[in-house]
Structures are given as C-alpha cells and as structure tokens.
Amino acid sequence: MDVPLWLALIAIGVLGYKLVRPPLWLVAVILLGGFLLAQSSLAPFLAPITK
C-alpha cells in the first residue's frame, strides 16, 4: 500500500496532537523536519528502514 508522504505526515500530526497535546509549534517543526528529511540526500538510506 503506497501512502503519499503528505497524507502520512498529516495523519501522524493529527493523531499526535490529539493524544499528547504538545504545543502546535512543536508539531509544525516536527512535520516540516520530516518533510525536509524525506526530500534530502538521506532519503535513499532511510527508505529500507521505513518499508
């Protein structure tokens, strides 16, 4: 099952916010960091771990 990255990040962000109630700025930083990491040169090394 292939899930788009943006959909997975939104789902994780919403669930994490509802369960833990962290500051909204922290959620935004984590989501942006994950998106930037997925677009970086480290993505090929992370792909086998996440599959």
Side-chain angles (χ1 to χ4, degrees):
M1 181 166 125
D2 292 328
V3 177
L5 177 62
W6 61 270
L7 182 60
L9 291 176
I10 290 173
I12 290 169
V14 169
L15 288 175
Y17 186 73
K18 285 188 177 208
L19 294 174
V20 182
R21 293 285 186 194
L24 192 55
W25 64 266
L26 183 60
V27 173
V29 167
I30 291 172
L31 291 174
L32 182 62
F35 180 75
L36 292 176
L37 185 62
Q39 302 296 324
S40 72
S41 61
L42 293 175
F45 299 112
L46 296 174
I49 297 170
T50 57
K51 287 190 177 188

mmCIF file of all heavy atoms in Angstrom:
data_model
loop_
_atom_site.group_PDB
_atom_site.id
_atom_site.type_symbol
_atom_site.label_atom_id
_atom_site.label_comp_id
_atom_site.label_asym_id
_atom_site.label_seq_id
_atom_site.Cartn_x
_atom_site.Cartn_y
_atom_site.Cartn_z
ATOM 1 N N MET A 1 0.843 -1.172 0.000
ATOM 2 C CA MET A 1 0.000 0.000 0.000
ATOM 3 C C MET A 1 0.886 1.233 0.000
ATOM 4 O O MET A 1 1.700 1.409 0.896
ATOM 5 C CB MET A 1 -0.890 -0.023 1.236
ATOM 6 C CG MET A 1 -1.815 1.139 1.333
ATOM 7 S SD MET A 1 -3.060 0.794 2.564
ATOM 8 C CE MET A 1 -2.856 2.185 3.604
ATOM 9 N N ASP A 2 0.734 2.065 -0.989
ATOM 10 C CA ASP A 2 1.524 3.290 -1.090
ATOM 11 C C ASP A 2 0.706 4.469 -0.585
ATOM 12 O O ASP A 2 -0.339 4.796 -1.143
ATOM 13 C CB ASP A 2 1.934 3.547 -2.538
ATOM 14 C CG ASP A 2 2.918 2.512 -3.032
ATOM 15 O OD1 ASP A 2 3.701 2.024 -2.204
ATOM 16 O OD2 ASP A 2 2.894 2.200 -4.241
ATOM 17 N N VAL A 3 1.207 5.074 0.474
ATOM 18 C CA VAL A 3 0.554 6.242 1.063
ATOM 19 C C VAL A 3 1.403 7.459 0.727
ATOM 20 O O VAL A 3 2.614 7.435 0.941
ATOM 21 C CB VAL A 3 0.427 6.084 2.590
ATOM 22 C CG1 VAL A 3 -0.187 7.312 3.214
ATOM 23 C CG2 VAL A 3 -0.377 4.845 2.926
ATOM 24 N N PRO A 4 0.802 8.524 0.218
ATOM 25 C CA PRO A 4 1.590 9.726 -0.061
ATOM 26 C C PRO A 4 2.203 10.283 1.224
ATOM 27 O O PRO A 4 1.611 10.195 2.298
ATOM 28 C CB PRO A 4 0.564 10.709 -0.630
ATOM 29 C CG PRO A 4 -0.607 9.894 -1.029
ATOM 30 C CD PRO A 4 -0.591 8.668 -0.187
ATOM 31 N N LEU A 5 3.384 10.854 1.082
ATOM 32 C CA LEU A 5 4.091 11.390 2.246
ATOM 33 C C LEU A 5 3.283 12.459 2.953
ATOM 34 O O LEU A 5 3.189 12.467 4.177
ATOM 35 C CB LEU A 5 5.444 11.948 1.805
ATOM 36 C CG LEU A 5 6.283 12.612 2.896
ATOM 37 C CD1 LEU A 5 6.640 11.608 3.974
ATOM 38 C CD2 LEU A 5 7.519 13.226 2.304
ATOM 39 N N TRP A 6 2.661 13.338 2.206
ATOM 40 C CA TRP A 6 1.913 14.428 2.840
ATOM 41 C C TRP A 6 0.731 13.902 3.641
ATOM 42 O O TRP A 6 0.418 14.418 4.710
ATOM 43 C CB TRP A 6 1.458 15.456 1.798
ATOM 44 C CG TRP A 6 0.543 14.902 0.745
ATOM 45 C CD1 TRP A 6 0.901 14.358 -0.449
ATOM 46 C CD2 TRP A 6 -0.876 14.794 0.816
ATOM 47 N NE1 TRP A 6 -0.209 13.937 -1.133
ATOM 48 C CE2 TRP A 6 -1.319 14.195 -0.386
ATOM 49 C CE3 TRP A 6 -1.823 15.154 1.766
ATOM 50 C CZ2 TRP A 6 -2.656 13.951 -0.644
ATOM 51 C CZ3 TRP A 6 -3.159 14.913 1.488
ATOM 52 C CH2 TRP A 6 -3.565 14.319 0.303
ATOM 53 N N LEU A 7 0.105 12.829 3.164
ATOM 54 C CA LEU A 7 -1.023 12.256 3.892
ATOM 55 C C LEU A 7 -0.557 11.585 5.180
ATOM 56 O O LEU A 7 -1.192 11.721 6.230
ATOM 57 C CB LEU A 7 -1.759 11.259 3.001
ATOM 58 C CG LEU A 7 -2.999 10.610 3.602
ATOM 59 C CD1 LEU A 7 -4.034 11.663 3.961
ATOM 60 C CD2 LEU A 7 -3.585 9.609 2.636
ATOM 61 N N ALA A 8 0.551 10.874 5.114
ATOM 62 C CA ALA A 8 1.090 10.237 6.311
ATOM 63 C C ALA A 8 1.507 11.272 7.350
ATOM 64 O O ALA A 8 1.237 11.101 8.543
ATOM 65 C CB ALA A 8 2.277 9.356 5.940
ATOM 66 N N LEU A 9 2.131 12.358 6.920
ATOM 67 C CA LEU A 9 2.543 13.398 7.857
ATOM 68 C C LEU A 9 1.350 14.078 8.507
ATOM 69 O O LEU A 9 1.369 14.364 9.704
ATOM 70 C CB LEU A 9 3.424 14.428 7.140
ATOM 71 C CG LEU A 9 4.801 13.943 6.716
ATOM 72 C CD1 LEU A 9 5.520 15.038 5.940
ATOM 73 C CD2 LEU A 9 5.611 13.509 7.905
ATOM 74 N N ILE A 10 0.307 14.323 7.742
ATOM 75 C CA ILE A 10 -0.892 14.943 8.311
ATOM 76 C C ILE A 10 -1.550 14.005 9.318
ATOM 77 O O ILE A 10 -1.951 14.429 10.413
ATOM 78 C CB ILE A 10 -1.879 15.346 7.194
ATOM 79 C CG1 ILE A 10 -1.305 16.529 6.413
ATOM 80 C CG2 ILE A 10 -3.245 15.696 7.768
ATOM 81 C CD1 ILE A 10 -2.110 16.898 5.196
ATOM 82 N N ALA A 11 -1.650 12.728 8.977
ATOM 83 C CA ALA A 11 -2.288 11.759 9.876
ATOM 84 C C ALA A 11 -1.497 11.625 11.181
ATOM 85 O O ALA A 11 -2.084 11.609 12.269
ATOM 86 C CB ALA A 11 -2.405 10.408 9.192
ATOM 87 N N ILE A 12 -0.183 11.551 11.086
ATOM 88 C CA ILE A 12 0.646 11.442 12.291
ATOM 89 C C ILE A 12 0.538 12.708 13.131
ATOM 90 O O ILE A 12 0.453 12.651 14.358
ATOM 91 C CB ILE A 12 2.112 11.149 11.901
ATOM 92 C CG1 ILE A 12 2.217 9.741 11.341
ATOM 93 C CG2 ILE A 12 3.044 11.324 13.089
ATOM 94 C CD1 ILE A 12 3.547 9.436 10.697
ATOM 95 N N GLY A 13 0.524 13.847 12.478
ATOM 96 C CA GLY A 13 0.402 15.111 13.200
ATOM 97 C C GLY A 13 -0.924 15.241 13.939
ATOM 98 O O GLY A 13 -0.965 15.655 15.095
ATOM 99 N N VAL A 14 -2.015 14.881 13.276
ATOM 100 C CA VAL A 14 -3.334 14.988 13.904
ATOM 101 C C VAL A 14 -3.458 14.019 15.072
ATOM 102 O O VAL A 14 -3.924 14.389 16.153
ATOM 103 C CB VAL A 14 -4.445 14.753 12.855
ATOM 104 C CG1 VAL A 14 -5.798 14.582 13.511
ATOM 105 C CG2 VAL A 14 -4.470 15.892 11.862
ATOM 106 N N LEU A 15 -3.044 12.775 14.870
ATOM 107 C CA LEU A 15 -3.125 11.796 15.956
ATOM 108 C C LEU A 15 -2.235 12.171 17.130
ATOM 109 O O LEU A 15 -2.628 12.060 18.290
ATOM 110 C CB LEU A 15 -2.759 10.402 15.443
ATOM 111 C CG LEU A 15 -3.791 9.738 14.551
ATOM 112 C CD1 LEU A 15 -3.244 8.420 14.005
ATOM 113 C CD2 LEU A 15 -5.077 9.501 15.307
ATOM 114 N N GLY A 16 -1.017 12.604 16.822
ATOM 115 C CA GLY A 16 -0.109 13.009 17.890
ATOM 116 C C GLY A 16 -0.629 14.195 18.663
ATOM 117 O O GLY A 16 -0.521 14.259 19.886
ATOM 118 N N TYR A 17 -1.230 15.136 17.979
ATOM 119 C CA TYR A 17 -1.760 16.321 18.652
ATOM 120 C C TYR A 17 -2.950 15.966 19.538
ATOM 121 O O TYR A 17 -3.077 16.469 20.650
ATOM 122 C CB TYR A 17 -2.157 17.372 17.627
ATOM 123 C CG TYR A 17 -2.562 18.664 18.266
ATOM 124 C CD1 TYR A 17 -1.613 19.502 18.837
ATOM 125 C CD2 TYR A 17 -3.894 19.047 18.323
ATOM 126 C CE1 TYR A 17 -1.976 20.681 19.437
ATOM 127 C CE2 TYR A 17 -4.269 20.227 18.921
ATOM 128 C CZ TYR A 17 -3.305 21.038 19.480
ATOM 129 O OH TYR A 17 -3.678 22.209 20.081
ATOM 130 N N LYS A 18 -3.811 15.076 19.061
ATOM 131 C CA LYS A 18 -4.985 14.702 19.852
ATOM 132 C C LYS A 18 -4.609 13.860 21.074
ATOM 133 O O LYS A 18 -5.233 13.976 22.116
ATOM 134 C CB LYS A 18 -5.980 13.933 18.991
ATOM 135 C CG LYS A 18 -6.730 14.818 18.039
ATOM 136 C CD LYS A 18 -7.835 14.061 17.336
ATOM 137 C CE LYS A 18 -8.579 15.017 16.451
ATOM 138 N NZ LYS A 18 -9.953 14.645 16.250
ATOM 139 N N LEU A 19 -3.604 13.006 20.937
ATOM 140 C CA LEU A 19 -3.249 12.112 22.039
ATOM 141 C C LEU A 19 -2.348 12.769 23.080
ATOM 142 O O LEU A 19 -2.524 12.560 24.272
ATOM 143 C CB LEU A 19 -2.566 10.858 21.486
ATOM 144 C CG LEU A 19 -3.450 9.950 20.641
ATOM 145 C CD1 LEU A 19 -2.620 8.826 20.038
ATOM 146 C CD2 LEU A 19 -4.584 9.387 21.469
ATOM 147 N N VAL A 20 -1.379 13.559 22.645
ATOM 148 C CA VAL A 20 -0.364 14.082 23.555
ATOM 149 C C VAL A 20 -0.590 15.548 23.898
ATOM 150 O O VAL A 20 -0.186 15.996 24.954
ATOM 151 C CB VAL A 20 1.046 13.879 22.943
ATOM 152 C CG1 VAL A 20 2.126 14.355 23.873
ATOM 153 C CG2 VAL A 20 1.264 12.424 22.588
ATOM 154 N N ARG A 21 -1.224 16.303 23.037
ATOM 155 C CA ARG A 21 -1.462 17.735 23.192
ATOM 156 C C ARG A 21 -0.184 18.557 23.367
ATOM 157 O O ARG A 21 -0.059 19.345 24.289
ATOM 158 C CB ARG A 21 -2.384 18.013 24.379
ATOM 159 C CG ARG A 21 -3.777 17.518 24.212
ATOM 160 C CD ARG A 21 -4.515 18.402 23.272
ATOM 161 N NE ARG A 21 -5.924 17.981 23.231
ATOM 162 C CZ ARG A 21 -6.746 18.380 22.329
ATOM 163 N NH1 ARG A 21 -6.351 19.205 21.403
ATOM 164 N NH2 ARG A 21 -7.975 17.965 22.328
ATOM 165 N N PRO A 22 0.802 18.350 22.456
ATOM 166 C CA PRO A 22 2.003 19.183 22.526
ATOM 167 C C PRO A 22 1.698 20.574 21.969
ATOM 168 O O PRO A 22 0.635 20.781 21.367
ATOM 169 C CB PRO A 22 2.996 18.449 21.616
ATOM 170 C CG PRO A 22 2.112 17.814 20.605
ATOM 171 C CD PRO A 22 0.864 17.410 21.354
ATOM 172 N N PRO A 23 2.612 21.523 22.157
ATOM 173 C CA PRO A 23 2.400 22.841 21.549
ATOM 174 C C PRO A 23 2.303 22.722 20.028
ATOM 175 O O PRO A 23 2.997 21.905 19.413
ATOM 176 C CB PRO A 23 3.641 23.638 21.946
ATOM 177 C CG PRO A 23 4.275 22.876 23.043
ATOM 178 C CD PRO A 23 3.833 21.455 22.937
ATOM 179 N N LEU A 24 1.468 23.524 19.425
ATOM 180 C CA LEU A 24 1.249 23.444 17.990
ATOM 181 C C LEU A 24 2.515 23.767 17.207
ATOM 182 O O LEU A 24 2.761 23.179 16.155
ATOM 183 C CB LEU A 24 0.111 24.383 17.586
ATOM 184 C CG LEU A 24 -0.437 24.232 16.186
ATOM 185 C CD1 LEU A 24 -0.873 22.798 15.930
ATOM 186 C CD2 LEU A 24 -1.601 25.175 15.973
ATOM 187 N N TRP A 25 3.346 24.657 17.712
ATOM 188 C CA TRP A 25 4.587 24.997 17.012
ATOM 189 C C TRP A 25 5.518 23.787 16.958
ATOM 190 O O TRP A 25 6.227 23.593 15.992
ATOM 191 C CB TRP A 25 5.294 26.191 17.663
ATOM 192 C CG TRP A 25 5.760 25.948 19.059
ATOM 193 C CD1 TRP A 25 5.089 26.232 20.206
ATOM 194 C CD2 TRP A 25 6.996 25.349 19.461
ATOM 195 N NE1 TRP A 25 5.828 25.842 21.294
ATOM 196 C CE2 TRP A 25 7.002 25.300 20.865
ATOM 197 C CE3 TRP A 25 8.095 24.836 18.759
ATOM 198 C CZ2 TRP A 25 8.062 24.770 21.580
ATOM 199 C CZ3 TRP A 25 9.142 24.312 19.496
ATOM 200 C CH2 TRP A 25 9.133 24.289 20.877
ATOM 201 N N LEU A 26 5.499 22.949 18.000
ATOM 202 C CA LEU A 26 6.347 21.757 18.013
ATOM 203 C C LEU A 26 5.880 20.754 16.954
ATOM 204 O O LEU A 26 6.703 20.137 16.272
ATOM 205 C CB LEU A 26 6.335 21.122 19.401
ATOM 206 C CG LEU A 26 7.212 19.909 19.608
ATOM 207 C CD1 LEU A 26 8.678 20.250 19.346
ATOM 208 C CD2 LEU A 26 7.042 19.370 21.008
ATOM 209 N N VAL A 27 4.593 20.603 16.805
ATOM 210 C CA VAL A 27 4.045 19.713 15.772
ATOM 211 C C VAL A 27 4.463 20.205 14.393
ATOM 212 O O VAL A 27 4.880 19.424 13.531
ATOM 213 C CB VAL A 27 2.507 19.618 15.888
ATOM 214 C CG1 VAL A 27 1.923 18.850 14.718
ATOM 215 C CG2 VAL A 27 2.121 18.970 17.199
ATOM 216 N N ALA A 28 4.371 21.511 14.178
ATOM 217 C CA ALA A 28 4.744 22.075 12.881
ATOM 218 C C ALA A 28 6.228 21.860 12.593
ATOM 219 O O ALA A 28 6.598 21.511 11.470
ATOM 220 C CB ALA A 28 4.408 23.559 12.844
ATOM 221 N N VAL A 29 7.087 22.031 13.590
ATOM 222 C CA VAL A 29 8.522 21.839 13.397
ATOM 223 C C VAL A 29 8.839 20.381 13.079
ATOM 224 O O VAL A 29 9.634 20.088 12.183
ATOM 225 C CB VAL A 29 9.304 22.318 14.644
ATOM 226 C CG1 VAL A 29 10.745 21.842 14.616
ATOM 227 C CG2 VAL A 29 9.242 23.825 14.755
ATOM 228 N N ILE A 30 8.212 19.464 13.768
ATOM 229 C CA ILE A 30 8.457 18.036 13.522
ATOM 230 C C ILE A 30 7.970 17.639 12.127
ATOM 231 O O ILE A 30 8.664 16.911 11.406
ATOM 232 C CB ILE A 30 7.789 17.177 14.613
ATOM 233 C CG1 ILE A 30 8.524 17.381 15.938
ATOM 234 C CG2 ILE A 30 7.773 15.705 14.227
ATOM 235 C CD1 ILE A 30 7.840 16.742 17.122
ATOM 236 N N LEU A 31 6.793 18.110 11.734
ATOM 237 C CA LEU A 31 6.279 17.779 10.403
ATOM 238 C C LEU A 31 7.141 18.380 9.307
ATOM 239 O O LEU A 31 7.448 17.706 8.312
ATOM 240 C CB LEU A 31 4.836 18.270 10.259
ATOM 241 C CG LEU A 31 3.804 17.529 11.090
ATOM 242 C CD1 LEU A 31 2.448 18.207 10.958
ATOM 243 C CD2 LEU A 31 3.720 16.086 10.672
ATOM 244 N N LEU A 32 7.551 19.609 9.471
ATOM 245 C CA LEU A 32 8.404 20.244 8.472
ATOM 246 C C LEU A 32 9.762 19.557 8.408
ATOM 247 O O LEU A 32 10.299 19.325 7.326
ATOM 248 C CB LEU A 32 8.566 21.729 8.781
ATOM 249 C CG LEU A 32 9.394 22.527 7.790
ATOM 250 C CD1 LEU A 32 8.733 22.487 6.418
ATOM 251 C CD2 LEU A 32 9.554 23.941 8.271
ATOM 252 N N GLY A 33 10.318 19.197 9.554
ATOM 253 C CA GLY A 33 11.600 18.488 9.583
ATOM 254 C C GLY A 33 11.517 17.135 8.891
ATOM 255 O O GLY A 33 12.420 16.749 8.150
ATOM 256 N N GLY A 34 10.433 16.409 9.116
ATOM 257 C CA GLY A 34 10.261 15.119 8.449
ATOM 258 C C GLY A 34 10.118 15.255 6.948
ATOM 259 O O GLY A 34 10.671 14.458 6.186
ATOM 260 N N PHE A 35 9.410 16.275 6.530
ATOM 261 C CA PHE A 35 9.252 16.506 5.098
ATOM 262 C C PHE A 35 10.581 16.872 4.460
ATOM 263 O O PHE A 35 10.934 16.356 3.393
ATOM 264 C CB PHE A 35 8.223 17.614 4.858
ATOM 265 C CG PHE A 35 7.999 17.903 3.408
ATOM 266 C CD1 PHE A 35 7.259 17.037 2.631
ATOM 267 C CD2 PHE A 35 8.537 19.027 2.819
ATOM 268 C CE1 PHE A 35 7.045 17.288 1.288
ATOM 269 C CE2 PHE A 35 8.339 19.293 1.482
ATOM 270 C CZ PHE A 35 7.595 18.419 0.712
ATOM 271 N N LEU A 36 11.343 17.750 5.100
ATOM 272 C CA LEU A 36 12.640 18.146 4.553
ATOM 273 C C LEU A 36 13.628 16.984 4.551
ATOM 274 O O LEU A 36 14.431 16.849 3.636
ATOM 275 C CB LEU A 36 13.202 19.332 5.342
ATOM 276 C CG LEU A 36 12.440 20.639 5.170
ATOM 277 C CD1 LEU A 36 13.023 21.703 6.081
ATOM 278 C CD2 LEU A 36 12.425 21.086 3.730
ATOM 279 N N LEU A 37 13.570 16.133 5.572
ATOM 280 C CA LEU A 37 14.452 14.965 5.616
ATOM 281 C C LEU A 37 14.115 13.988 4.495
ATOM 282 O O LEU A 37 15.010 13.407 3.890
ATOM 283 C CB LEU A 37 14.327 14.270 6.969
ATOM 284 C CG LEU A 37 15.267 13.107 7.231
ATOM 285 C CD1 LEU A 37 16.714 13.588 7.203
ATOM 286 C CD2 LEU A 37 14.958 12.463 8.553
ATOM 287 N N ALA A 38 12.837 13.831 4.200
ATOM 288 C CA ALA A 38 12.430 12.926 3.122
ATOM 289 C C ALA A 38 12.883 13.438 1.760
ATOM 290 O O ALA A 38 13.080 12.656 0.839
ATOM 291 C CB ALA A 38 10.919 12.749 3.137
ATOM 292 N N GLN A 39 13.038 14.740 1.618
ATOM 293 C CA GLN A 39 13.460 15.330 0.358
ATOM 294 C C GLN A 39 14.978 15.477 0.261
ATOM 295 O O GLN A 39 15.487 15.928 -0.748
ATOM 296 C CB GLN A 39 12.822 16.709 0.179
ATOM 297 C CG GLN A 39 11.316 16.700 0.202
ATOM 298 C CD GLN A 39 10.715 15.929 -0.953
ATOM 299 O OE1 GLN A 39 11.233 15.945 -2.052
ATOM 300 N NE2 GLN A 39 9.627 15.250 -0.692
ATOM 301 N N SER A 40 15.707 15.109 1.310
ATOM 302 C CA SER A 40 17.151 15.319 1.333
ATOM 303 C C SER A 40 17.894 14.142 0.699
ATOM 304 O O SER A 40 17.301 13.164 0.260
ATOM 305 C CB SER A 40 17.622 15.498 2.771
ATOM 306 O OG SER A 40 17.578 14.267 3.459
ATOM 307 N N SER A 41 19.208 14.237 0.740
ATOM 308 C CA SER A 41 20.036 13.160 0.188
ATOM 309 C C SER A 41 20.061 11.942 1.105
ATOM 310 O O SER A 41 20.564 10.890 0.715
ATOM 311 C CB SER A 41 21.454 13.672 -0.049
ATOM 312 O OG SER A 41 22.020 14.099 1.168
ATOM 313 N N LEU A 42 19.530 12.049 2.320
ATOM 314 C CA LEU A 42 19.476 10.908 3.236
ATOM 315 C C LEU A 42 18.292 9.991 2.954
ATOM 316 O O LEU A 42 18.217 8.897 3.508
ATOM 317 C CB LEU A 42 19.376 11.408 4.682
ATOM 318 C CG LEU A 42 20.597 12.148 5.217
ATOM 319 C CD1 LEU A 42 20.298 12.671 6.612
ATOM 320 C CD2 LEU A 42 21.808 11.252 5.232
ATOM 321 N N ALA A 43 17.379 10.413 2.107
ATOM 322 C CA ALA A 43 16.175 9.633 1.828
ATOM 323 C C ALA A 43 16.466 8.217 1.328
ATOM 324 O O ALA A 43 15.805 7.271 1.776
ATOM 325 C CB ALA A 43 15.279 10.382 0.855
ATOM 326 N N PRO A 44 17.436 7.993 0.422
ATOM 327 C CA PRO A 44 17.691 6.612 -0.011
ATOM 328 C C PRO A 44 18.169 5.694 1.124
ATOM 329 O O PRO A 44 17.910 4.496 1.108
ATOM 330 C CB PRO A 44 18.782 6.764 -1.067
ATOM 331 C CG PRO A 44 18.651 8.150 -1.560
ATOM 332 C CD PRO A 44 18.182 8.946 -0.401
ATOM 333 N N PHE A 45 18.846 6.263 2.123
ATOM 334 C CA PHE A 45 19.303 5.451 3.244
ATOM 335 C C PHE A 45 18.169 5.152 4.226
ATOM 336 O O PHE A 45 18.191 4.130 4.911
ATOM 337 C CB PHE A 45 20.438 6.163 3.981
ATOM 338 C CG PHE A 45 21.638 6.399 3.110
ATOM 339 C CD1 PHE A 45 21.987 7.684 2.731
ATOM 340 C CD2 PHE A 45 22.403 5.348 2.655
ATOM 341 C CE1 PHE A 45 23.077 7.921 1.908
ATOM 342 C CE2 PHE A 45 23.495 5.555 1.840
ATOM 343 C CZ PHE A 45 23.838 6.843 1.461
ATOM 344 N N LEU A 46 17.173 6.025 4.284
ATOM 345 C CA LEU A 46 16.042 5.826 5.198
ATOM 346 C C LEU A 46 14.954 4.955 4.586
ATOM 347 O O LEU A 46 14.148 4.396 5.319
ATOM 348 C CB LEU A 46 15.466 7.181 5.592
ATOM 349 C CG LEU A 46 16.392 8.092 6.389
ATOM 350 C CD1 LEU A 46 15.742 9.453 6.575
ATOM 351 C CD2 LEU A 46 16.753 7.491 7.707
ATOM 352 N N ALA A 47 14.906 4.840 3.281
ATOM 353 C CA ALA A 47 13.838 4.085 2.615
ATOM 354 C C ALA A 47 13.778 2.623 3.048
ATOM 355 O O ALA A 47 12.688 2.120 3.324
ATOM 356 C CB ALA A 47 13.981 4.201 1.108
ATOM 357 N N PRO A 48 14.891 1.893 3.127
ATOM 358 C CA PRO A 48 14.775 0.483 3.562
ATOM 359 C C PRO A 48 14.292 0.343 5.007
ATOM 360 O O PRO A 48 13.648 -0.631 5.346
ATOM 361 C CB PRO A 48 16.201 -0.054 3.427
ATOM 362 C CG PRO A 48 16.901 0.886 2.522
ATOM 363 C CD PRO A 48 16.239 2.208 2.684
ATOM 364 N N ILE A 49 14.590 1.315 5.830
ATOM 365 C CA ILE A 49 14.176 1.253 7.238
ATOM 366 C C ILE A 49 12.682 1.457 7.359
ATOM 367 O O ILE A 49 12.024 0.817 8.180
ATOM 368 C CB ILE A 49 14.933 2.318 8.056
ATOM 369 C CG1 ILE A 49 16.426 2.023 8.040
ATOM 370 C CG2 ILE A 49 14.423 2.392 9.490
ATOM 371 C CD1 ILE A 49 17.284 3.126 8.613
ATOM 372 N N THR A 50 12.116 2.349 6.555
ATOM 373 C CA THR A 50 10.714 2.686 6.667
ATOM 374 C C THR A 50 9.789 1.741 5.918
ATOM 375 O O THR A 50 8.580 1.800 6.088
ATOM 376 C CB THR A 50 10.449 4.120 6.165
ATOM 377 O OG1 THR A 50 10.896 4.218 4.813
ATOM 378 C CG2 THR A 50 11.191 5.128 7.017
ATOM 379 N N LYS A 51 10.333 0.849 5.100
ATOM 380 C CA LYS A 51 9.476 -0.076 4.351
ATOM 381 C C LYS A 51 9.329 -1.390 5.037
ATOM 382 O O LYS A 51 9.936 -1.876 5.817
ATOM 383 C CB LYS A 51 10.024 -0.286 2.952
ATOM 384 C CG LYS A 51 9.805 0.927 2.108
ATOM 385 C CD LYS A 51 10.120 0.648 0.663
ATOM 386 C CE LYS A 51 9.809 1.900 -0.121
ATOM 387 N NZ LYS A 51 9.877 1.735 -1.515
#
